[in-house]
Amino acid sequence: MITRKAPPQPALLVLGDMSIQGNIKPVRSLTEPLQVAMDNGGKRALIPIENKRQFLEVNPDVLEQVDPVFFGDMRQAAFKALGLT
């Protein structure tokens, strides 16, 4: 499988939780995790699609530094983390 040979992208932050049923759970707030990511050199963040509405609350300075990528399921998140989509 091609995903076994592909390393995750550098400076990548992955947000969200997965329930025992396999559902993606959103984070409570995007502001703090994205600020911490930016302060520590993060360049890209995988964010659960359910958090899209909260995106307007994030500081514009953070948005200039951290590229958001939304995902709806774990398979999609894995491919995006590996840069395969």
Side-chain angles (χ1 to χ4, degrees):
M1 180 181 262
I2 194 167
T3 57
R4 291 183 185 179
K5 296 180 182 180
Q9 294 184 355
L12 175 69
L13 170 70
V14 180
L15 297 173
D17 289 318
M18 186 170 68
S19 72
I20 198 159
Q21 294 85 12
N23 299 320
I24 303 298
K25 298 190 304 186
V27 294
R28 291 182 188 209
S29 171
L30 290 179
T31 305
E32 185 178 342
L34 291 179
Q35 180 69 50
V36 170
M38 183 190 81
D39 293 345
N40 289 289
K43 299 292 181 197
R44 194 169 193 209
L46 289 176
I47 302 170
I49 196 73
E50 290 85 7
N51 285 110
K52 201 166 190 175
R53 288 185 181 159
Q54 293 176 344
F55 202 64
L56 298 173
E57 301 168 7
V58 178
N59 185 331
D61 294 334
V62 174
L63 297 179
E64 288 180 7
Q65 300 294 319
V66 180
D67 181 30
V69 179
F70 294 97
F71 68 93
D73 62 51
M74 291 309 293
R75 180 181 167 98
Q76 186 181 42
F79 278 104
K80 287 182 178 189
L82 299 173
L84 300 176
T85 60

